[in-house]
Amino acid sequence: MTSKGMPIDYHTHNYRCGHAVGTLEEYVLSAIDQGLEQIGLSDHMPLIHVSPEEHPDIAMSMEELPRYVEECLRLQEKYKDRIAVRVGLEGDFIEGYEEKIEAIVNGYPWDYVIGSVHFLGTWDVTDFRQVHQWEGRSVIGAYEQYFDAIQKAAATGLYDYIGHVDAIKRFGFRPEEDATPLENAALQAIKQHDVAFELNAAGIHAPCKEMYPSLRMLERAKAYDIPVTFGSDAHHPDKVGQKGTDARTMLKNAGYAQIATFERRKRVMKPY
């Protein structure tokens, strides 16, 4: 069987993070059923700057991290003749906590690490339970803080690609001011530090109703010649590869002929 969408899916979660369902093996089997060539397992890095008790069901616990990696490696070996399983991590960028992040990144045999910005301080801008924090807040100010964090994440050298690069738009809050200069500065930093980024399908099902990033931002990324990969951001095994056909069309419309894949922290460009 051959996938009709994208041949890879590098952004998936599982029950360990508390807000996804399904085991790692169920995600692998879903990818096999769809004919994917590669499946990336990339659960959320443990929280390091806020209390898990105050922010429940956001990320796996620190105690689970080694067990997560061990299971990923076991599945990689078990299914090596049927699909390439990549061992990944969605590693939050938290300014001021770079050493703790680096210890996690360097402590395990990852194939890739996604650099994602979820938090502005202690506010998780992607958590529907915290949408009320937009009240009374400058939208453009939040965008400035968010895209500044994207630039800083790209500069750390800790990440292989940037995840959902404009996820700040998730709940439909958009500034009246033109945010294009902020987006461009983020893209320029990604390019400068030779980091890739992802086309993330999950935004289609969010209030913003478009992928991360938008087509116009994707086209600008192509103009900067920034490598792109693909992730469904699946939180259920049935969502593996979601919107892959739409993503393929979007990438082709933006001018991309290849996608980035990763193995042992090395980027390999492949046609799709």
Side-chain angles (χ1 to χ4, degrees):
M1 180 178 178
T2 301
S3 172
K4 296 179 180 178
M6 297 297 292
I8 68 169
D9 185 350
Y10 267 35
H11 197 144
T12 63
H13 296 284
N14 70 98
Y15 75 90
R16 281 184 172 87
C17 71
H19 62 277
V21 298
T23 65
L24 290 170
E25 189 160 20
E26 288 173 323
Y27 284 82
V28 173
L29 291 173
S30 179
I32 291 172
D33 287 344
Q34 294 180 58
L36 269 61
E37 297 173 9
Q38 298 183 20
I39 180 66
L41 307 174
S42 58
D43 209 13
H44 289 283
M45 183 184 80
L47 296 174
I48 58 172
H49 78 299
V50 293
S51 166
E53 289 73 26
E54 294 178 6
H55 293 76
D57 302 330
I58 286 180
M60 75 175 111
S61 68
M62 196 65 75
E63 292 74 21
E64 278 295 316
L65 182 58
R67 290 191 283 268
Y68 163 74
V69 176
E70 288 167 6
E71 185 176 0
C72 288
L73 292 170
R74 180 180 63 80
L75 294 171
Q76 188 178 61
E77 177 64 22
K78 180 177 180 179
Y79 291 101
K80 64 181 180 181
D81 295 330
R82 300 176 67 185
I83 192 170
V85 176
R86 298 294 188 242
V87 182
L89 180 76
E90 185 172 18
D92 274 278
F93 171 72
I94 309 293
E95 187 173 4
Y97 290 81
E98 290 85 352
E99 288 188 7
K100 289 187 176 181
I101 299 169
E102 185 175 12
I104 293 172
V105 169
N106 291 339
Y108 297 91
W110 309 113
D111 285 310
Y112 65 98
V113 179
I114 308 171
S116 293
V117 174
H118 296 98
F119 285 91
L120 300 182
T122 59
W123 172 33
D124 183 347
V125 300
T126 68
D127 185 356
F128 70 92
R129 297 168 297 184
Q130 300 181 46
V131 175
H132 64 277
Q133 294 211 40
W134 281 100
E135 296 174 8
R137 189 183 295 266
S138 164
V139 176
I140 191 63
Y143 271 60
E144 289 170 349
Q145 190 178 355
Y146 176 87
F147 284 111
D148 178 67
I150 292 288
Q151 292 183 60
K152 290 173 178 174
T156 63
L158 296 173
Y159 307 110
D160 299 290
Y161 71 85
I162 298 297
H164 44 59
V165 67
D166 60 349
I168 186 72
K169 71 185 181 189
R170 179 179 184 183
F171 296 109
F173 292 91
R174 300 178 187 266
E176 295 179 0
E177 300 86 349
D178 183 10
T180 303
L182 302 177
E183 296 173 351
N184 285 344
L187 290 174
Q188 289 163 3
I190 292 169
K191 174 62 177 179
Q192 177 186 350
H193 297 288
D194 192 26
V195 183
F197 78 113
E198 73 172 350
L199 179 59
N200 182 305
I204 289 288
H205 302 294
C208 65
K209 299 187 185 305
E210 65 178 10
M211 293 195 190
Y212 311 117
S214 63
L215 177 59
R216 61 183 178 81
M217 192 174 180
L218 186 66
E219 290 172 338
R220 279 183 275 127
K222 181 63 177 72
Y224 289 129
D225 196 28
I226 301 172
V228 66
T229 190
F230 172 72
S232 66
D233 213 335
H235 284 65
H236 188 288
D238 290 348
K239 296 295 186 181
V240 170
Q242 67 172 332
K243 299 297 179 180
T245 302
D246 293 345
R248 177 188 288 270
T249 299
M250 191 170 168
L251 287 169
K252 289 189 179 298
N253 288 343
Y256 278 98
Q258 294 184 315
I259 51 172
T261 65
F262 299 88
E263 184 174 11
R264 298 179 182 176
R265 308 299 304 276
K266 300 294 185 182
R267 185 170 71 219
V268 178
M269 301 303 297
K270 292 183 177 295
Y272 62 94

